Amino acid sequence: MANKIQLSNNYPDITESDKIYERALKVQKPVTQTLAKGPGQFSKGVAPKYLVKGKGSHVWDVDGNEFIDYNSAIGPISLGYAYPAVDDAIREQLNDGITFSLMHPLEVELSELAQQVIPNAEAVKIAKTGADVCSAAIRVARAFTGRDKVFCCGYHGWHDWYIGITSRNAGIPGAIQDLTYTFEYNDIDSIKAALDESVAALILEPFIFEAPKPGFLQELAEACRENGTLLIFDEMWTGFRIALGGAQEYFNVKADLAVFSKACANGMPIALLTGRADVMELFNSEVFSYTTFGGEALSLAACIATINELRDKNVPQYLDQHGALLKDGYNQIAISLGMDQYTRCIGYNCRSMVTFTPEAGNALELKTLMQQEMIKRGILWAGFHNMCFSHTSEDIDYTLLAYRDVLQVVKEAILSGDVKSYLKGEVLEAVFRKVSNYNIKPKTAAL
Ligand SMILES: Cc1ncc(COP(=O)(O)O)c(C=O)c1O
């Protein structure tokens, strides 16, 4: 019998998931198109591997098990699965066609809407993925400044200029790798010390889980301006979540360029690059950035419907309020169980993350155990609370009940000194993506 969302479940039956996975292993390399959805991030032997349906905040796997989903498709689900206002817009457009031989008026409509809600949107460019717009922003910044070097902080997609600085950099020429440098978030002095006349662009996620120190983003903007470096905000996670206009609106600071995707179309593939008209003007001349599916109309219709809904329903405020219930509720339960020395939920309310302290033990084993026990109780859990408008108060109340149960299991495991013996499946894999421990390269090491 498939699991429902209840505390008394057995571990879910994942027979169909595993059968499909066996087929996948024979034909797909890699089996997943999105690392964070793949089997390395969901404990093999316990977690489902394939989802087939979603409604609101709930999803169903291929074996029929139901879960509350806090992953929100790794960001795109901002309103909810199968959200009527967006799906109706897609259906209406579908009646007329998907992709055309000339431009579509929705491209203009979406750009005008983006201009209304995104603070730096003097001009708008539409693309398909987050990596597309990150790379387009870097290219236009290099063209505008006549410089090559890039400073970055966060994750910016799979393209050469960024992935070259990670541990998954095979296949990327050294000459490309040598042009990108990382910097330490919130460390304005080291950034100022390293910025020089070769730096075209500084790109960062305005925040991930750590809040910016007061004035950090403003000082960064100033330092970039003084150095002739373009500041790029990667707002994949912050855009349309922390505020409609993203971190620029929330912290009252403007970047020269900003990039968005994920939340803006409730699941459809589309991305936006916004920025200064004088910089973006280069896309009309020497900078090339075009793609066949750029004007695909279902995504345009979905994006317009999503942004309107996010604005009309004041969704960022909803995410903040409901996310706070979950984050604060988790931390209170940890305190009441004497677990606060081992675990905390951190981050902004719209997107928080459960963490473990070094005293608790091996973080990956602990995360695997927590995931196993949450999945058993009907919660698809990967350590994050990516809030969406369809997460109800009942979802949150239930999730906190589950946390109270699960944290007791985790406590017992920590005190036993052998967390691994509590695991029914495989330990999760580490991701290459790092959000701290980046080292800024000193000026002398550059180029
Ligand atoms: C902050 C950030 N930038 C860029 C990207 C790349 O976006 P995409 O995977 O759509 O290419 C991601 C994806 O997770 C992201 O989180």
Side-chain angles (χ1 to χ4, degrees):
M1 260 263 288
N3 274 359
K4 299 266 166 241
I5 295 168
Q6 54 193 15
L7 296 178
S8 55
N9 284 334
N10 292 316
Y11 295 101
D13 176 2
I14 52 168
T15 309
E16 282 306 314
S17 262
D18 281 342
K19 272 193 209 159
I20 297 170
Y21 183 58
E22 285 307 312
R23 282 167 47 207
L25 286 173
K26 290 188 188 127
V27 63
Q28 287 179 275
K29 290 186 190 304
V31 291
T32 182
Q33 320 316 312
T34 312
L35 191 67
K37 298 181 189 177
Q41 297 309 303
F42 290 90
S43 179
K44 288 193 207 103
V46 173
K49 295 188 182 66
Y50 295 92
L51 296 178
V52 289
K53 186 179 140 183
K55 181 68 197 158
S57 59
H58 292 207
V59 291
W60 286 261
D61 71 10
V62 72
D63 287 275
N65 301 300
E66 181 180 356
F67 301 91
I68 303 174
D69 180 14
Y70 285 107
N71 303 294
S72 298
I74 326 300
I77 301 301
S78 48
L79 292 167
Y81 291 98
Y83 192 86
V86 180
D87 289 7
D88 288 349
I90 295 170
R91 267 188 220 102
E92 198 182 318
Q93 181 55 46
L94 187 59
N95 290 333
D96 289 338
I98 302 171
T99 303
F100 298 91
S101 310
L102 294 177
M103 299 182 290
H104 195 284
L106 288 178
E107 297 172 45
V108 186
E109 195 181 317
L110 172 59
S111 302
E112 287 169 347
L113 183 57
Q115 192 163 58
Q116 284 166 27
V117 301
I118 298 170
N120 76 340
E122 289 171 22
V124 179
K125 172 176 166 50
I126 300 168
K128 287 313 271 177
T129 70
D132 271 3
V133 281
C134 286
S135 293
I138 295 300
R139 185 178 294 173
V140 79
R142 283 175 163 157
F144 187 81
T145 58
R147 303 172 177 185
D148 287 339
K149 220 196 304 176
V150 172
F151 281 9
C152 68
C153 174
Y155 173 74
H156 307 295
W158 72 278
H159 294 174
D160 288 8
W161 71 266
Y162 169 72
I163 275 301
I165 53 118
T166 73
S167 54
R168 290 286 289 268
N169 61 4
I172 300 169
I176 301 285
Q177 296 180 23
D178 288 346
L179 294 175
T180 301
Y181 298 82
T182 57
F183 65 86
E184 196 70 51
Y185 187 70
N186 263 336
D187 188 352
I188 192 71
D189 291 337
S190 69
I191 297 165
K192 281 184 179 165
L195 275 175
D196 65 18
E197 64 292 338
S198 67
V199 185
L202 187 150
I203 181 169
L204 80 163
E205 295 182 65
F207 64 82
I208 303 180
F209 296 104
E210 180 184 345
K213 286 184 185 157
F216 170 69
L217 295 173
Q218 286 77 3
E219 279 188 68
L220 201 56
E222 188 52 36
C224 286
R225 196 163 28 248
E226 276 173 14
N227 194 58
T229 295
L230 295 190
L231 176 65
I232 306 170
F233 276 3
D234 180 338
E235 299 238 36
M236 298 302 156
W237 278 105
T238 50
F240 304 96
R241 275 206 160 80
I242 188 72
L244 203 58
Q248 294 187 89
E249 178 185 332
Y250 191 77
F251 295 108
N252 192 23
V253 57
K254 269 196 204 172
D256 297 297
L257 300 168
V259 288
F260 302 82
S261 186
K262 297 201 191 271
C264 70
N266 198 45
M268 291 297 276
I270 191 163
L272 304 172
L273 164 54
T274 63
R276 274 168 47 183
D278 57 345
V279 179
M280 302 280 285
E281 181 58 34
L282 292 185
F283 284 120
N284 277 329
S285 52
E286 59 235 56
V287 174
F288 191 90
S289 174
Y290 299 98
T291 183
T292 305
F293 292 111
E296 175 269 299
L298 300 186
S299 298
L300 294 168
C303 192
I304 292 166
T306 301
I307 295 175
N308 281 331
E309 195 73 4
L310 292 170
R311 175 168 66 185
D312 296 349
K313 303 275 165 63
N314 196 357
V315 171
Q317 189 183 61
Y318 182 96
L319 304 185
D320 182 52
Q321 287 167 349
H322 286 71
L325 294 175
L326 201 51
K327 188 178 93 177
D328 298 344
Y330 181 93
N331 287 329
Q332 269 152 22
I333 293 168
I335 290 170
S336 74
L337 295 176
M339 280 286 284
D340 49 320
Q341 55 182 317
Y342 298 128
T343 181
R344 258 168 56 77
C345 185
I346 62 163
Y348 280 82
N349 297 331
C350 62
R351 184 186 180 220
S352 58
M353 174 172 75
V354 169
T355 60
F356 296 98
T357 61
E359 299 81 68
N362 178 306
L364 274 179
E365 288 175 12
L366 287 160
K367 186 173 171 183
T368 308
L369 177 60
M370 190 122 189
Q371 181 181 77
Q372 160 188 309
E373 296 305 313
M374 293 297 274
I375 280 176
K376 180 180 175 188
R377 290 159 180 81
I379 296 173
L380 193 64
W381 189 95
F384 305 99
H385 304 134
N386 299 334
M387 302 305 295
C388 80
F389 191 49
S390 294
H391 283 124
T392 60
S393 301
E394 294 75 55
D395 288 334
I396 289 164
D397 289 347
Y398 173 77
T399 305
L400 291 174
L401 280 179
Y403 271 137
R404 184 168 283 282
D405 238 19
V406 169
L407 276 171
Q408 293 178 71
V409 178
V410 175
K411 181 176 182 181
E412 191 187 300
I414 292 172
L415 295 180
S416 79
D418 187 7
V419 172
K420 223 169 171 180
S421 69
Y422 284 71
L423 301 183
K424 312 271 178 219
E426 289 181 32
V427 178
L428 303 179
E429 290 167 18
V431 247
F432 73 87
R433 170 182 174 164
K434 295 201 189 98
V435 292
S436 60
N437 299 333
Y438 279 166
N439 295 312
I440 192 154
K441 296 247 179 171
K443 251 198 238 187
T444 47
L447 297 179

